Amino acid sequence: MYTMIHCSFFIFFLGGLATISFYRNNTSQGVAVSNNFNVTPTIASTCDLFSGRWVHDNKSHYPLYEEHECPYLDESYACQTYGRKDFKYLQWRWQPHDCDFPRFDGKAIVERLRGKRLLFVGDSLVRNQRNSMICMLYTSIPGVKRTGGELIGSLHTFRFTDYNISIDFYWAPMLVESNGDSPTDHLTTFRIVRIKSIEKHARHWVNSDILIFNSYRWWRSHVVNFLKSGGSLLDDPNNVYEEVNRVRAYKLGLKTWSNWAHTHIDPSKTKLFFMSATAVHVMATEWGGMSTMNCYGETEPVMDDRFRESQTDPKMLSILESSLNKLKAKGVNVQIINITQLTQCRKDAHPALYRKLWRPLTDEQKKNPQLASDCSHWCLPGVPDIWNELLLAYIFR
């Protein structure tokens, strides 16, 4: 067993989150106890699955799949296909401090998801996670696999036909209506929203058994422009806007979403989850690197357990926690999957230059990794697989 790498700094907004009971950790080295999702864990302790450490372990079952095994792996996350030569980033497992969570048992999961629709809603980070879920399930189904799907506007469906499992994705990076709502044409930093308008998107969400939301990164602009006039086009030059700082804008956007969830979510039919913010490793100086660099070339996690990158806004995280707690108080059982801490240390796990966006990077782009590197999304297989393991632990608790 390699030396444990501690990444256990305190995240201030974890305190009020719900905890969950699982098997106690019975090994001295922190190796997770294998568990099948068909088995109910013994109620032996109360544990926060989101507070823990990364342990390098090249003897476990990670990675959960190989790139070549998943024909549906998006080329934006296919780091080995696009030239990444190091593989250690695949060999880290997340270890909660005081317990274990159920290891991914693909065959059991596929059976338990039979007939279910999972819908991931939000931005490209939740799309990254949804692609991970597709690959995790696809590589778990034995024999010939029949699949199907289509793209209808912002809704991208994917079905494992033999099991009647749908793993869908709806592009709505700000949840409410915005000028970034086109799945293919949204490259703008000038954010415009109809802050109280959500039904155009939300009518596609209601027929789901499991709903997973993520909306944070697109609210990080310095200001968000609220549409005040009633024009049909958000970017009409004759429109009138109100500039709102991102913290207040995020709060109001989540309020609109919360009002929709309170009105439309039937807890007896739909399980509701919200993914927290994930780290962005764009400034290597934050972990002692060169001032001109970012995540490119990084092959190890951050080893300072006090590390917290600067792009994660604590005020916005507090707003998310508060919004979800208010929704819970109204009787809507929404569970946050708090992946903020576990992403902080993983500067080694981003695509950087090892990716295809709409086309492969040019030689000129590759010469400028400080500009061309993707340090927001995550290689697959990789860190989002852990997000899904935690999500599944809550789905089947």
Side-chain angles (χ1 to χ4, degrees):
M1 178 76 69
Y2 283 80
T3 303
M4 293 182 182
I5 308 301
H6 292 276
C7 179
S8 57
F9 57 82
F10 178 75
I11 296 293
F12 43 85
F13 69 101
L14 284 175
L17 299 178
T19 55
I20 185 170
S21 296
F22 284 96
Y23 283 117
R24 288 196 67 87
N25 180 3
N26 291 320
T27 66
S28 61
Q29 292 181 304
V31 178
V33 177
S34 179
N35 183 30
N36 187 303
F37 274 92
N38 286 323
V39 179
T40 302
T42 303
I43 306 302
S45 65
T46 299
C47 179
D48 180 359
L49 296 186
F50 310 125
S51 179
R53 61 189 181 272
W54 288 101
V55 178
H56 185 252
D57 181 1
N58 62 359
K59 297 180 181 179
S60 71
H61 68 327
Y62 293 106
L64 298 179
Y65 53 90
E66 302 289 344
E67 275 192 20
H68 68 271
E69 295 177 322
C70 182
Y72 301 103
L73 199 155
D74 192 302
E75 291 178 301
S76 299
Y77 320 126
C79 300
Q80 294 173 33
T81 297
Y82 283 90
R84 183 159 186 171
K85 302 300 183 185
D86 65 293
F87 300 100
K88 189 175 180 180
Y89 73 96
L90 298 170
Q91 299 169 350
W92 296 88
R93 61 178 171 81
W94 178 248
Q95 179 62 55
H97 287 309
D98 300 314
C99 63
D100 299 296
F101 59 90
R103 291 297 189 95
F104 179 68
D105 182 338
K107 292 181 180 179
I109 290 296
V110 168
E111 288 296 335
R112 295 198 67 176
L113 289 177
R114 187 186 288 270
K116 297 289 192 294
R117 183 196 186 202
L118 282 73
L119 178 60
F120 292 84
V121 179
D123 57 21
S124 57
L125 285 163
V126 82
R127 181 170 59 197
N128 199 168
Q129 181 181 2
R130 180 253 191 171
N131 197 193
S132 160
M133 182 69 81
I134 288 175
C135 289
M136 288 169 66
L137 298 183
Y138 182 87
T139 54
S140 299
I141 295 174
V144 177
K145 301 139 173 123
R146 291 193 302 141
T147 62
E150 57 185 337
L151 177 63
I152 306 174
S154 295
L155 178 64
H156 189 186
T157 66
F158 185 93
R159 176 170 293 178
F160 293 99
T161 308
D162 292 333
Y163 291 81
N164 192 25
I165 300 172
S166 292
I167 309 295
D168 298 342
F169 169 69
Y170 189 92
W171 172 262
M174 304 182 84
L175 303 182
V176 297
E177 288 184 46
S178 78
N179 64 335
D181 285 343
S182 168
T184 57
D185 184 19
H186 51 251
L187 292 181
T188 177
T189 57
F190 187 73
R191 307 289 191 228
I192 304 171
V193 299
R194 286 191 176 97
I195 195 62
K196 294 184 178 180
S197 297
I198 197 171
E199 188 57 37
K200 177 182 176 181
H201 299 320
R203 60 192 175 91
H204 298 281
W205 307 341
V206 290
N207 295 320
S208 303
D209 299 287
I210 300 164
L211 273 171
I212 306 102
F213 290 89
N214 185 348
S215 185
Y216 170 81
R217 188 62 54 193
W218 276 60
W219 296 92
R220 289 281 293 147
S221 298
H222 181 63
V223 298
V224 178
N225 297 277
F226 286 10
L227 181 66
K228 296 183 68 175
S229 58
S232 59
L233 299 176
L234 282 166
D235 54 359
D236 188 321
N238 296 316
N239 285 339
V240 178
Y241 308 105
E242 175 190 1
E243 289 189 352
V244 179
N245 73 74
R246 65 190 181 201
V247 174
R248 178 169 175 262
Y250 191 51
K251 181 177 182 179
L252 294 174
L254 288 176
K255 182 178 181 181
T256 297
W257 173 83
S258 295
N259 289 339
W260 170 83
H262 181 234
T263 303
H264 293 87
I265 294 298
D266 182 347
S268 67
K269 296 180 179 179
T270 303
K271 292 190 175 184
L272 186 61
F273 299 90
F274 209 109
M275 309 301 296
S276 69
T278 58
V280 178
H281 297 101
V282 294
M283 298 174 62
T285 53
E286 293 184 341
W287 57 83
M290 295 175 59
S291 61
T292 57
M293 292 305 296
N294 47 35
C295 68
Y296 175 69
E298 296 292 341
T299 59
E300 297 275 350
V302 176
M303 297 186 182
D304 182 355
D305 61 4
R306 298 167 297 177
F307 179 74
R308 185 179 297 123
E309 56 86 25
S310 62
Q311 297 300 303
T312 304
D313 187 336
K315 293 181 180 179
M316 294 176 69
L317 298 181
S318 295
I319 285 172
L320 176 60
E321 180 191 6
S322 175
S323 297
L324 298 185
N325 284 339
K326 289 178 181 177
L327 193 55
K328 286 181 180 180
K330 295 179 180 179
V332 180
N333 187 21
V334 56
Q335 173 63 52
I336 191 169
I337 303 299
N338 196 334
I339 54 178
T340 302
Q341 178 193 346
L342 68 86
T343 63
Q344 291 290 314
C345 288
R346 295 306 306 274
K347 63 182 173 62
D348 59 315
H350 298 285
L353 297 182
Y354 306 114
R355 64 186 174 90
K356 175 184 177 182
L357 196 52
W358 293 280
R359 60 188 65 86
L361 297 180
T362 65
D363 291 339
E364 195 62 31
Q365 286 175 310
K366 292 178 181 179
K367 293 177 183 178
N368 294 281
Q370 67 272 32
L371 297 177
S373 288
D374 179 354
C375 298
S376 298
H377 301 97
W378 306 86
C379 295
L380 293 180
V383 171
D385 303 330
I386 306 296
W387 307 348
N388 282 325
E389 284 194 293
L390 292 169
L391 172 66
L392 290 166
Y394 272 90
I395 290 173
F396 297 124
R397 61 178 174 171

